[in-house]
């Protein structure tokens, strides 16, 4: 069974500082990995996804993530935090259901707080 | 292009009442999903529909039923609501999976959610 673990349910950074949100996965097959972001009272929006084409993946709003097989990690980073980055980010690993459809297994999420 | 829409946005029920959450997508996706989101638990899959005419149980199906009305619409029904079903419910849709695992990287698109409270 696939799973993801997000260390730290809350992360607080100063505006302009580096953002690092951690995600480790467990998968018996090469994983497909996603980061979604959820702003207050909204649904989830895709930040970026890893599909084995490149280990460093760039997403929206200046976020990126690096796939490291040796560390089973897919950490999300942004060089300089902005107030608008305050949101909950969720890591997920994907596989297929036998009858079709994508099976997404989500982490428990990390709430990012950006302070002045 | 509205994407995935859900109604209602908010609902308060009394224990034992029933209700149906509606979901529709206009992206011509074959697959649709219902999740619940609870603090500290992450999103958990309730039911999914890989294609029109099929539905399957997810991780937490007890107390729920679903109907894939047509390709666009996928509804979730609570027959007898319980306080444990207080949660935020999200509907999602995705392209159909192609042969092999390559379809695993199809993005799921989410609706804005329904916040349900059962008293």
């Amino acid at each position: 069974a696939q799973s993801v673990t997000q260390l730290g349910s809350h992360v607080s950074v100063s505006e302009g500082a580096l953002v690092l949100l951690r995600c480790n996965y467990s998968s018996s097959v090469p994983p497909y990995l996603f980061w979604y972001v959820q702003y207050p009272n909204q649904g989830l929006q895709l930040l970026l996804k890893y599909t084995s084409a490149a280990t460093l993946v760039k997403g929206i709003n200046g976020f990126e993530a690096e796939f490291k097989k040796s560390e089973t990690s897919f950490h999300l980073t942004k060089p300089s935090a902005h107030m608008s980055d305050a949101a909950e980010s969720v890591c997920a690993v994907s596989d297929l259901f036998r009858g079709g459809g994508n099976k997404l297994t989500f982490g428990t999420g990390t709430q990012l707080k950006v302070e002045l | 292009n509205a994407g995935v829409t859900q109604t209602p946005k908010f609902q308060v029920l009394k224990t034992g009442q029933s209700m149906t959450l509606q979901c529709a997508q206009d992206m011509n996706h074959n697959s649709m999903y219902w999740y619940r989101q609870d603090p500290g638990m992450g999103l958990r899959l309730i039911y999914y529909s890989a294609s029109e005419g099929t539905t399957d149980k997810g991780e937490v199906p007890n107390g729920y039923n679903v109907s894939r009305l047509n390709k666009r619409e996928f509804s979730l029904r609570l027959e007898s609501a319980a306080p444990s079903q207080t949660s935020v419910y999200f509907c999602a849709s995705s392209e159909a999976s192609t042969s092999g695992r390559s379809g695993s990287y199809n993005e799921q698109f989410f609706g804005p959610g329904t916040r349900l409270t059962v008293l």
Side-chain angles (χ1 to χ4, degrees):
Chain A
Q2 298 180 310
S3 65
V4 292
T5 302
Q6 291 184 245
L7 287 177
S9 58
H10 293 81
V11 169
S12 183
V13 301
S14 300
E15 191 174 35
L18 172 71
V19 175
L20 171 61
L21 304 183
R22 299 178 185 274
C23 174
N24 288 87
Y25 69 90
S26 172
S27 178
S28 58
V29 295
Y32 294 111
L33 295 159
F34 297 75
W35 274 101
Y36 282 87
V37 64
Q38 185 178 17
Y39 297 103
N41 300 315
Q42 293 186 30
L44 280 73
Q45 178 184 0
L46 183 69
L47 271 176
L48 48 82
K49 63 183 179 183
Y50 168 72
T51 60
S52 76
T55 56
L56 183 62
V57 182
K58 295 188 184 298
I60 62 171
N61 301 335
F63 283 94
E64 61 183 37
E66 186 173 8
F67 174 74
K68 292 186 177 181
K69 183 178 179 181
S70 61
E71 299 177 9
T72 61
S73 69
F74 190 56
H75 301 331
L76 183 70
T77 61
K78 183 174 180 177
S80 178
H82 190 272
M83 296 296 288
S84 62
D85 293 328
E88 181 163 38
S89 293
V90 186
C91 183
V93 61
S94 178
D95 205 338
L96 290 176
F97 288 113
R98 285 189 183 183
N102 295 0
K103 180 180 181 180
L104 277 180
T105 302
F106 291 90
T108 52
T110 298
Q111 182 69 45
L112 175 65
K113 182 179 179 181
V114 182
E115 299 173 319
L116 288 171
Chain B
N1 210 356
V4 181
T5 57
Q6 293 183 235
T7 54
K9 287 187 168 33
F10 302 93
Q11 185 71 50
V12 179
L13 294 177
K14 295 180 179 178
T15 297
Q17 288 185 315
S18 62
M19 78 162 295
T20 300
L21 281 65
Q22 306 287 354
C23 173
Q25 52 91 9
D26 62 2
M27 295 173 283
N28 202 35
H29 287 163
N30 281 310
S31 302
M32 298 185 73
Y33 314 81
W34 275 106
Y35 294 91
R36 59 177 291 172
Q37 184 180 42
D38 302 291
M41 303 287 290
L43 279 92
R44 293 180 292 168
L45 184 66
I46 304 171
Y47 270 92
Y48 69 100
S49 172
S51 60
E52 187 178 355
T54 69
T55 60
D56 284 285
K57 296 178 180 179
E59 183 184 353
V60 288
N62 290 345
Y64 305 95
N65 285 300
V66 291
S67 294
R68 184 73 183 267
L69 304 171
N70 48 54
K71 190 172 185 179
R72 289 188 63 249
E73 299 173 288
F74 188 38
S75 63
L76 178 72
R77 182 161 178 83
L78 287 70
E79 291 290 353
S80 179
S84 60
Q85 294 177 306
T86 293
S87 187
V88 181
Y89 291 84
F90 289 100
C91 178
S93 69
S94 70
E95 297 279 0
S97 302
T98 57
S99 59
R101 289 192 66 240
S102 62
S104 296
Y105 59 72
N106 289 338
E107 173 189 355
Q108 287 188 19
F109 293 81
F110 286 81
T114 295
R115 190 172 296 272
L116 175 67
T117 301
V118 183
L119 302 174

